[in-house]
Amino acid sequence: MARLLKVIKWIAICIAAVCLTLFVIAKCTPLPSLKGRSISTALFDTNDTRLGRSIAPLAAAHPGLSGIYPLANSQDAFAARMQLAEAAERTLDVQYYIWEKDMTGTLLFDALRAAAERGVRVRLLLDDNNTSGLDRTLAALDSHPNIEVRLFNPFVVRKPRIGYLTDFFRANRRMHNKSFTADSQATIIGGRNVGDEYFGATEGLLFVDLDVMTVGPVVHDVSKDFDRYWASASSYPVDRIIAPVDPAQISEIAAAAAAVAHDRAAVAYTTALHDSPFVRDLVARHLGLEWAPTHMISDDPAKGLGRAAPESLFPHQLDEVIGEPATDLELVAAYFVPTTTGVNSFVSLAKHGVKVKVLTNSLQASDGPYVYSGYAKHRKSLLQAGITLYEMRPLSPRSEEHKSAAGLFGSSGSSLHAKTFSVDRARFFVGSFNFDPRSRKLNTELGFVIDSPVLAQTIEHAFRESIPANSYEVRLSKAGKLYWIERRGSKEIRYDRSPNTSIWQRAAVWCLSLLPIDWLL
């Protein structure tokens, strides 16, 4: 026993020494200076570009309105980004939280490289929280004279990334915005990051998500907002964080894309894209747009350092634009953590006659019990107020259910990732904002509020048709117990516990719900 205690003590000392060493290394490696950082701004004189010649006449015919095309189908969402990259002639401004080095991520990296080879100025701004394994690729892209890469709230020590231990306040604040803008003429914003699971290009986890492709005056707002983030005190040129590489290494990106493109799975995926009606309509300029007043909402990038004024934060702006719902609120939130304050707001709305419906992930579909726990503890209070709750159940892409699940959110998948809602069947929101404390207080976010009954009613229709058919409805029994209803055609199946989950999953949710961690979720 004494020998075992010595071994344990020795291991503990080693672990402590390693942690102390890493802490000292991190503290001795501060963020670099931003002095002398290049200055660039969006280009707006682009009506003579290919995109401009197509879009300007349409915008002129709809003064003051922006043209909106919902990208519900995941493959269409990827195709739209590739098409914009290929059509760009002057600029590409690209901003993301996650960019995976997988099939779609590799192809889009190469699309940026190819655009730069044509003379397009490319600015790529990535949050640094999810760039592990990308350092060489990002350095190679940045080596091109027409490409500049910046990292938001970067980790100076690249391996291991210990910023959360040594600089938690800053490292815990992330840039969650997503935008892809070509020639300041067309942009894509919404919930999707860049990766196979977001674009329906993998056999594993698939996200149900929603973006919009947009033209018209709000695109200039997005371009100006990109400039704010690009010039913010949190955005660091990548060559000050990652060692530069030989510019010749950019050829590796083209080689990687060529290798990916010849993979059997990629061939099947790109063939499906080629046959897509969306792509044919986009190329032929027959794509139907919904023209409507559109308001961009975006956090002050100073939020990334905890320096943003309260009135500049996303929730305040959203309240200013949306106002108080009068009749209906239909909310789709992948990460729904209402907190006690949020629950009180929803309950108050319901008491004033507003019909509130919510779709979030089931525990079965959730990518983490910690987030689900922040919602689960409030279900009874919401249901007691008359609020309708649905929890999405995962559907196999090959199932018959999948084939009938198209609609607002396009193809079905393993987990909900969309962030959208409608108010009074008149206003429609889409963007990166999750209804959780992290989006409200820590992460920066971007979204549109669109004054369009047509788009708002697509959510209403989804809650009437596809959502009940492809989700569990959560109910409260007379005895105050939760139960779940699954609909299969005319048949209803009742579950008295969270469906298709283990006792250990449910126990983890219960334990986590007792902890004061909502502010981190």
Side-chain angles (χ1 to χ4, degrees):
M1 178 61 73
R3 186 174 182 180
L4 177 61
L5 289 174
K6 286 183 179 180
V7 171
I8 293 173
K9 183 179 179 180
W10 181 82
I11 293 173
I13 291 171
C14 288
I15 292 173
V18 169
C19 290
L20 179 61
T21 301
L22 292 174
F23 184 85
V24 170
I25 289 172
K27 282 298 183 183
C28 294
T29 315
L31 284 164
S33 169
L34 291 176
K35 187 177 180 180
R37 180 179 57 171
S38 66
I39 298 173
S40 61
T41 56
L43 304 179
F44 295 112
D45 185 19
T46 57
N47 282 351
D48 60 340
T49 62
R50 182 159 46 131
L51 284 171
R53 290 191 296 272
S54 296
I55 292 166
L58 294 173
H62 300 86
L65 306 180
S66 294
I68 309 292
Y69 188 90
L71 293 167
N73 181 277
S74 52
Q75 293 184 349
D76 290 349
F78 176 73
R81 288 164 170 82
M82 289 294 289
Q83 290 283 335
L84 287 186
E86 291 169 5
E89 294 181 358
R90 299 274 180 80
T91 67
L92 280 170
D93 289 338
V94 181
Q95 180 180 19
Y96 278 96
Y97 174 61
I98 295 174
W99 194 303
E100 301 284 2
K101 194 177 181 180
D102 51 17
M103 180 180 75
T104 55
T106 298
L107 293 176
L108 278 168
F109 273 140
D110 191 53
L112 300 185
R113 179 206 60 80
E117 286 293 310
R118 301 193 308 270
V120 177
R121 184 195 70 182
V122 178
R123 297 189 293 176
L124 175 61
L125 176 59
L126 295 181
D127 184 87
D128 198 32
N129 196 46
N130 297 284
T131 58
S132 293
L134 290 179
D135 282 9
R136 185 180 177 91
T137 299
L138 297 179
L141 285 168
D142 190 67
S143 71
H144 194 287
N146 290 330
I147 301 176
E148 187 175 357
V149 180
R150 291 187 180 177
L151 298 175
F152 192 91
N153 266 356
F155 297 89
V156 181
V157 178
R158 307 305 289 171
K159 289 182 182 180
R161 297 200 173 188
I162 54 175
Y164 281 99
L165 295 176
T166 60
D167 194 4
F168 180 80
F169 179 82
R170 180 184 66 84
N172 195 40
R173 294 176 176 273
R174 309 312 319 174
M175 183 191 74
H176 197 236
N177 311 40
K178 301 127 168 85
S179 66
F180 195 109
T181 307
D183 289 341
S184 297
Q185 292 286 341
T187 191
I188 297 169
I189 71 106
R192 288 185 178 92
N193 295 297
V194 173
D196 289 354
E197 60 267 39
Y198 300 96
F199 297 128
T202 179
E203 294 294 320
L205 175 70
L206 292 176
F207 284 122
V208 176
D209 220 326
L210 182 66
D211 297 321
V212 291
M213 185 169 64
T214 309
V215 301
V218 79
V219 180
H220 282 198
D221 295 336
V222 175
S223 293
K224 291 174 184 176
D225 192 61
F226 182 93
D227 283 348
R228 283 203 308 164
Y229 277 81
W230 188 251
S232 76
S234 295
S235 295
Y236 286 76
V238 76
D239 61 3
R240 301 189 185 188
I241 302 295
I242 300 170
V245 299
D246 185 336
Q249 289 186 11
I250 199 168
S251 63
E252 294 179 6
I253 295 174
V260 163
H262 288 93
D263 180 82
R264 182 179 300 175
V267 170
Y269 183 78
T270 54
T271 299
L273 288 183
H274 184 268
D275 295 336
S276 163
F278 164 80
V279 172
R280 291 197 297 271
D281 289 345
L282 182 63
V283 172
R285 302 177 188 174
H286 294 154
L287 210 58
L289 299 172
E290 169 69 7
W291 291 90
T294 303
H295 315 271
M296 185 201 75
I297 297 176
S298 174
D299 275 308
D300 182 339
K303 185 180 181 182
L305 294 174
R307 299 174 184 168
E311 62 272 13
S312 73
L313 298 182
F314 202 98
H316 179 83
Q317 296 180 58
L318 195 59
D319 289 344
E320 289 285 305
V321 174
I322 290 287
E324 194 78 3
T327 59
D328 297 272
L329 173 61
E330 291 159 327
L331 170 67
V332 177
Y335 306 103
F336 182 55
V337 183
T339 71
T340 300
T341 301
V343 169
N344 291 339
S345 296
F346 286 120
V347 170
S348 176
L349 288 174
K351 285 181 177 178
H352 286 85
V354 178
K355 296 178 181 177
V356 181
K357 298 178 181 178
V358 177
L359 170 68
T360 191
N361 274 309
S362 64
L363 178 55
Q364 180 190 8
S366 177
D367 57 1
Y370 48 91
V371 174
Y372 188 84
S373 71
Y375 144 76
K377 66 176 113 180
H378 298 297
R379 284 179 302 204
K380 286 188 178 181
S381 298
L382 294 168
L383 291 168
Q384 286 167 349
I387 293 165
T388 303
L389 295 180
Y390 292 101
E391 297 182 0
M392 198 195 92
R393 56 191 175 92
L395 301 175
S396 167
R398 293 184 176 82
S399 71
E400 289 302 314
E401 293 171 303
H402 167 82
K403 296 175 184 177
S404 64
L408 175 65
F409 307 114
S411 304
S412 297
S414 311
S415 184
L416 181 69
H417 195 259
K419 311 100 171 45
T420 184
F421 65 85
S422 68
V423 174
D424 298 339
R425 303 185 186 182
R427 295 184 296 284
F428 172 88
F429 170 84
V430 62
S432 66
F433 182 79
N434 287 308
F435 289 81
D436 60 14
R438 174 163 287 279
S439 280
R440 286 193 290 271
K441 298 178 180 180
L442 297 174
N443 291 349
T444 68
E445 307 289 353
L446 171 68
F448 289 162
V449 174
I450 305 164
D451 296 336
S452 168
V454 171
L455 293 176
Q457 288 169 26
T458 61
I459 296 185
E460 187 274 332
H461 183 267
F463 270 98
R464 192 173 66 248
E465 301 291 340
S466 59
I467 289 173
N470 298 291
S471 305
Y472 305 113
E473 183 180 351
V474 189
R475 294 181 182 176
L476 202 59
S477 72
K478 291 180 180 179
K481 299 290 186 180
L482 293 172
Y483 66 98
W484 288 255
I485 294 296
E486 177 184 351
R487 294 176 176 85
R488 292 189 180 180
S490 59
K491 184 179 179 182
E492 289 189 351
I493 302 171
R494 173 171 170 155
Y495 301 88
D496 291 320
R497 296 182 180 86
S498 188
N500 298 305
T501 59
S502 70
I503 188 174
W504 303 112
Q505 288 175 299
R506 297 191 296 273
V509 168
W510 180 80
C511 291
L512 289 166
S513 70
L514 301 177
L515 302 177
I517 58 172
D518 281 6
W519 67 281
L520 282 171
L521 301 179

